[in-house]
Each structure stands twice: as C-alpha cells, then as structure tokens.
Amino acid sequence: MTTRTRNQALSTADVVRQTLNGRRVDLGTFVFEWLLLLALVITIGLLVVLLVSVVTDGLPVFADRGTDFLTANLASSPERAGIAQGIVGSLLLMVFVVLISFPIGIGAAVYLEEYAKDTWLTRLVNTVIRNLAGVPAIVYGLLGLAIFVGALGGLTGGRSVISGGLTLAVLVLPIVIITTAEALRAVPMTIREAAFGVGATRWETVRSHVLPYAAPGIFTGTILSLARAFGETAPLIVVGAIAGTFRYTAHGIVDQLQGPYTALPTIIFGFSRDPDSGFRAATAAAIIVLLVVLLSVNALAIFLRNRFERRW
Amino acid sequence: MALTLEDLRGSVARRRREASLRLIFAAAAMLSIVISVAIIISLVGEAANFLFHVDPASLIDRGWFPRRSLFGIPTILAGTFIVAGIGMLVATPLGLGAAVYLSEYASPRLRRTVKPILEILAGIPSVVLGYFALSVLSPSVVDPVCPGQTNIFNMAAAGIGVGILITPLIASVAEDALYAVPRSLREASYGLGARKRTTSLRIVFPAAVSGIVAALLLGISRGVGETMVVAMAAGASGGSLFQANPCQPGQTMTAAMTALATGSDQTRGLAFPSLFFVGLLLFVMTLALNLVADAFVRRVRTRY
C-alpha cells in the first residue's frame, strides 16, 4: 500500500490561474472545497449534537439517583425504574454470541481461506455469506421466531434468553466470518510455505503459523461484532425480549435461561414508548450506559488493532 | 528397503486428526448455507400460509391495520420508500461530500483523525438515533419546516434519523472507491492543465462511479431495512391509512413487523402470518439491492 503524500490543495493549473488573475482566491475552487468540508463538518456535528443532547437529558438521572439506576429493576414509575435486568440480559446474550458464533465463524473462515479450493461451491458459500451480512436484522428476528421460539421452543423455552442469544449469534456469524477471512488473507503466503516446507500439515500450519499472525485482526473483528450484537434491538423484540416491565424470580440457572428476559437496547425502546414524560430522562440515561459500553468496546478494539497490527 | 508412500505419510493419528478437523471446518462453512435456507423456509412457509388465506382485495386496501384484517401493502411500501427516500436525500450529499473531501482534499493527519470518528458514528445503535429523532429532530428540525401543527411522530424525523444512520456507510464505501482510483489518472489530468475541482468532479468521480453507485445502493438497502428509528419516531404503531405526506406519521414495513411482533402473539386471524409475508418482501427487496450493489463493486475491482 503506497503511503499517501499530502494532496496538493491546489494543482498547477489552479496556481497559474490565480497568478494570472492577480487574485489570491478563486471563488469557484474556494466554494467547492468548503462545501465538501461543510458536508464533513455537518456529519461530525450531528454526532456531537446527538451526544450532547443525550448527555444533558440523561445525566440528571445519575446525579439524582447515582448507581441506583443501574441496580434497580424495571418499574412503572420513572423514579424507581432501573436497568439491572437489561444489563444482566445483555450480558447473557453476549455469552451466547461468543460461545456460538466465534468458534463457528472462525472455523468457517479458516475453511474458506485455508482449505477450500476455488470451486463453484466455495464461490457460492462466499456469496451467500456476503449477502447474509447485508440482510436486515429484523429478518434474523423472524428466523429466530420461527425456529428458535417456534420449532425448537421445547428446548429453548420459547421467548427466552436462549432464543435471543441464538438469534443474535446467527446474525453476527457472517460478520465474524468476513472479518476473520480478511485477517487470514492478510497473512502472506510465505509464512504458510515456510511451514509446509518443513513438513507441517495444513492444520499444523494454520494453528502454529497463520492464526497467531492473524490473531490481532481476528480479535478486532470479533470484538466489533460483539459490539454490534450488543446494540441490536429489532431482532430481540421480534424474538420476545420484553419491552415493558416484568418481574421474574428464577429457580436455578436453567429456569433463568428459559424465562422472560430483556436487554439494554430493548429497555431503551420500552422507556421511549412510555407515555409518562418522566421516562424521557430515563431513556437518555439508559442510552448513556449503552454508549459508554459501546465506546469502550470500540476503543478497546481500535487500541488492540493499532498496538498489534503488523506491517508486512 | 525401498521407501514407500506409506513411510512418507506420517502417523495415522496425525492424518486422522487432520481429516476430521478439515471436516469440522467445512461443516462450519456449510452452516452459512443452512442458515440461508432456514431463513427462506421460515419466511416462505408462513408467508405462503398468509397468501393462501388472505382476501386479495384487502392487499391493495388503502390502509394497513393487520388486526382488523386490512393488509394494504401500498401503505407500508409508501412508508418505507418515503423514509428511505428522505434518508437518502440527507445521506447522499453528506456522505459523498465527506468522501470526496477525505479522499481528495484532506491532509493525511485529518484523515487519520476523521476516519475513526466516522467509524464511531457508524457504530451508534439505531435505538439511540431513534431517540434523537424523537426528542431533537422532530421538535427542532421538522416542526419548523412542516406546515401547521406537526405530530411529534412523523416520517420526516424518522427519515432524517435514518439518513444520519446511513451517512457513515455511504461515506466509507464511497471513499474506498475514490481512493482506489489510480493516482496516475489524477496526475494525467493535472498535466493537461485541469484544476483540482475539475479533476475531482470530471475524472476521479466518474472513474469511481461503480463503487459510488454501490455505496448508494447499500445505503438504500440499509435504509429500507432500518427498524428501530422508524419504530420509535415514525409513529402509527397500530396501523395507518395510506400516507404520502412525510410530515405525518406513517408505517413502514419494518415498523409494521415490530408492531405485529410486540402485540398479542395470538395466531387468530392472519395478523401473525402477515408478519412473515412482510418479512419476505423485505428480504427479497434488500437481497436484490445487495446483489446489484455487489455486481457494481465487482466491476470496480476488475477495472483496476
């Protein structure tokens, strides 16, 4: 990859034109460049406005109640409602995502990049995966509703964390495969050839040569996929995460997993629909928690990528 | 003793492990096909059930009230197109403008600072944008523009929210496409005496047009499939009459699906299967958009 040298703000023709015109500034060029910059500024500005509005709406909740907001259960009055059940639910869902989609996703990527020959089947699988990554999240919710809640309802307990977790795992799987495949592709062939040259089998090559070098890229990809799954709402709603209030005392871990649940994004959706205007601050406060988690995870991924990235 | 192939092959256990691991990895890869088939089956099954039993006249009714057996498809299609359309109106100039600036005019340091910010913007969940659309965009941006007393829920606010959501996607795909244009093309243009503005607009932009079209198609696809922003800000969760005025609340396909799923889950009537029918429509639409976008991206790759 060639390094980018500083793009000249003006080309030779621009400079000549300006000199001939005796003016320091050519209006057309000036306006054009600043319109483009305006587009960029507006885009970033919207982000700033969003963050500012969320923080100003939601910070008073933490000022008034402190960590009570994080530890209380859902309630019908905004002064008492908290997001504890959502945090627990989201964490459980992430456990499912990690346990299911990471091994399967990395395994699939390893197969497609290391083992598969370039046949029509391999090309079909690649196309299918790319298209699955573009399917709207709510369609995965329908898949989960039909299969995990419906057909496999006996095993999963219907509208339970298990169904939700499986649905999110399936949603995230294509992304894990694609990012892992990219990380594997970035490892030069010479590394593999060196291993083959001393008699390693394909798996031994992958395990001891390719995967360690691809690990930072794979980590980054999987962490970003996790962040994506954490913020997903639509499929969870379809699959049965509760958007209102509920109380559930579980008798043991299996009961907990098969019972009703909610997640942080779903709570945000539920709060926002509540006609009680006091919930607006609660919605913003819950969003602050969500954004803090997401920003930390993204920052971690970017940090890991910059720290461990190799330049071949 | 002559050396046979058997001697060179290595231990049986090693070979068996190798073969079984290969099988496991292959199974993982084939799972993706299983998932696709599962999506199609689950959608088509219930959708067919719906189509079988529905009164065809109710499909072109002027309203979408599934619980009253009014399944006016044009209503939700109109909602989806209006919201996605407004979203594209917002996202295309912002996204393409930002992309051209980053690719042609920005210093490397600015690029290094801005690209992570765009990544962060891309990572903001749609619930947050839905809240923003409802609490800030609707009262501050839409209300002044729309005539009369505007409902706090309206399609314009949802559309702008969707636009903000799509902008980073368009910006990053378009920027990649512009970046891929070889420097030699630009230099040839400068050598002939073109201004920077002319080069960017008349040379680089057309050279990257495949990638840019792909970016826009992906943006539309994302806008069509967006759920939470419209569910929170566009209103009309019980159902809606055909509505073409963006200043009014409206129902999109995705919001209709959310409403069907959160309501009573009884399978009385055709409300439940209609959920899958709309889902199938959505799946087919976004699949078509993505396939076309893919074809455009492949055209860029083969050129350079």
Side-chain angles (χ1 to χ4, degrees), chain A residues 96 147-163 166 254 257-259:
Chain A
F96 273 96
I147 296 189
F148 299 131
V149 175
L152 297 177
L155 280 174
T156 59
R159 308 197 139 144
S160 65
V161 172
I162 304 180
S163 305
L166 287 172
V254 174
L257 290 176
Q258 287 189 332

Side-chain angles (χ1 to χ4, degrees), chain A residues 1-2 4-11 13-14 17 26 28-29 32-33 36-40 42-44 46-47 49-50 53-54 57 104 107-108 110-112 115-117 121 124-125 127-132 134-140 142-143 145-147 159 170 173 177 199-204 207 231 233-234 237-238 265 268-269 272-273 280 283-284 287 290-291 294-295 298 302 305, chain B residues 14 17-18 21-22 25-26 28-33 35-36 38-39 42-43 93-98 100-108 110-111 114 116-121 123-129 131-132 134-137 164 167-168 175 179 183 190 193-197 200-201 221 225 227-228 231-232 254 257-258 261-262 265 272 275-276 279-280 282-283 286-287 290-291 294 298:
Chain A
M1 183 78 96
T2 56
R4 293 280 294 266
T5 53
R6 180 175 178 26
N7 278 327
Q8 292 299 306
L10 301 169
S11 71
D14 287 300
R17 205 176 289 260
D26 167 30
T29 307
F32 182 69
E33 185 175 340
L36 292 179
L37 185 58
L38 187 67
L40 189 61
I42 292 180
T43 310
I44 300 184
L46 284 168
L47 172 65
V49 171
L50 183 145
S53 87
V54 162
D57 284 345
I104 299 181
V110 164
Y111 179 77
L112 289 171
Y115 286 86
K117 299 196 215 354
L121 185 60
L124 177 70
V125 172
T127 315
V128 165
I129 291 176
R130 262 207 320 274
N131 283 308
L132 279 179
V135 169
I138 195 167
V139 174
Y140 282 104
L142 288 184
L143 170 68
L145 185 63
I147 296 189
R159 308 197 139 144
V170 169
L173 187 62
I177 298 180
T201 64
R202 208 172 274 277
W203 166 238
E204 286 162 1
R207 187 196 63 202
T233 326
I237 294 180
V238 173
I268 294 175
F269 177 61
S272 78
R273 285 197 311 175
R280 177 168 156 166
T283 318
I287 291 180
L290 180 67
L291 286 179
L294 283 178
L295 281 173
N298 276 309
I302 295 178
R305 179 176 63 191
Chain B
R14 192 162 165 243
R17 185 182 37 156
E18 185 69 20
L21 275 168
R22 187 201 168 95
F25 289 143
M30 293 307 143
L31 194 62
S32 63
I33 305 238
I35 293 176
S36 290
I39 290 182
S42 56
L43 290 178
L94 287 183
L96 290 184
V100 173
Y101 187 81
L102 280 178
S103 146
E104 304 298 310
Y105 288 85
S107 69
L110 185 64
R111 229 173 143 255
V114 169
I117 298 182
L118 283 182
E119 275 183 41
I120 295 177
L121 191 56
I124 293 188
S126 40
V127 266
V128 178
L129 241 36
Y131 171 80
F132 184 60
L134 197 54
S135 64
V136 175
L137 289 176
I164 301 177
T167 305
E175 205 258 337
Y179 187 60
R183 213 169 151 65
Y190 294 142
R195 292 176 291 189
K196 189 157 178 81
R197 171 170 40 135
S200 303
L201 281 180
S221 165
T227 312
M228 293 322 297
M232 289 166 84
T254 46
M257 288 162 67
T258 319
T262 47
D265 53 359
F272 186 72
L275 167 66
F276 287 87
L280 183 63
L282 183 69
F283 177 66
T286 48
L287 186 65
N290 287 333
L291 284 176
D294 245 4
R298 260 177 292 139

Side-chain angles (χ1 to χ4, degrees), chain B:
Chain B
M1 282 289 285
L3 209 56
T4 65
L5 191 59
E6 272 310 304
D7 298 320
L8 292 171
R9 266 207 177 152
S11 79
V12 178
R14 192 162 165 243
R15 265 186 283 140
R16 206 178 307 136
R17 185 182 37 156
E18 185 69 20
S20 51
L21 275 168
R22 187 201 168 95
L23 207 62
I24 293 175
F25 289 143
M30 293 307 143
L31 194 62
S32 63
I33 305 238
V34 169
I35 293 176
S36 290
V37 171
I39 290 182
I40 297 181
I41 290 181
S42 56
L43 290 178
V44 168
E46 283 285 347
N49 176 18
F50 171 77
L51 283 174
F52 213 53
H53 292 111
V54 79
D55 170 24
S58 70
L59 281 179
I60 44 175
D61 233 315
R62 297 222 105 205
W64 175 266
F65 294 97
R67 294 210 165 77
R68 283 189 259 159
S69 294
L70 292 173
F71 302 106
I73 302 288
T75 310
I76 50 176
L77 279 179
T80 302
F81 288 146
I82 290 179
V83 168
I86 295 180
M88 286 307 286
L89 271 178
V90 167
T92 307
L94 287 183
L96 290 184
V100 173
Y101 187 81
L102 280 178
S103 146
E104 304 298 310
Y105 288 85
S107 69
R109 199 185 56 175
L110 185 64
R111 229 173 143 255
R112 263 200 311 271
T113 331
V114 169
K115 290 212 78 163
I117 298 182
L118 283 182
E119 275 183 41
I120 295 177
L121 191 56
I124 293 188
S126 40
V127 266
V128 178
L129 241 36
Y131 171 80
F132 184 60
L134 197 54
S135 64
V136 175
L137 289 176
S138 190
S140 319
V141 176
V142 179
D143 200 33
V145 173
C146 279
Q149 185 74 287
T150 341
N151 196 326
I152 187 85
F153 297 109
N154 53 70
M155 292 195 279
I160 300 177
V162 168
I164 301 177
L165 201 66
I166 306 176
T167 305
L169 176 66
I170 294 184
S172 75
V173 178
E175 205 258 337
D176 284 343
L178 290 165
Y179 187 60
V181 174
R183 213 169 151 65
S184 53
L185 244 65
R186 295 183 183 85
E187 285 166 0
S189 174
Y190 294 142
L192 289 173
R195 292 176 291 189
K196 189 157 178 81
R197 171 170 40 135
T198 316
T199 308
S200 303
L201 281 180
R202 301 267 217 93
I203 306 289
V204 179
F205 197 86
V209 85
S210 301
I212 291 177
V213 169
L216 296 180
L217 287 173
L218 286 173
I220 298 177
S221 165
R222 179 82 197 270
V224 161
E226 176 45 49
T227 312
M228 293 322 297
V229 178
V230 289
M232 289 166 84
S237 46
S240 143
L241 286 173
F242 185 87
Q243 184 59 258
N245 181 0
C247 294
Q248 293 295 320
Q251 188 81 303
T252 66
M253 293 195 297
T254 46
M257 288 162 67
T258 319
L260 278 167
T262 47
S264 76
D265 53 359
Q266 288 310 306
T267 49
R268 87 175 83 91
L270 287 176
F272 186 72
S274 70
L275 167 66
F276 287 87
F277 176 66
V278 179
L280 183 63
L281 271 183
L282 183 69
F283 177 66
V284 167
M285 277 173 69
T286 48
L287 186 65
L289 282 167
N290 287 333
L291 284 176
V292 175
D294 245 4
F296 273 99
V297 169
R298 260 177 292 139
R299 272 183 58 193
V300 182
R301 284 215 203 106
T302 51
R303 288 261 191 85
Y304 299 116

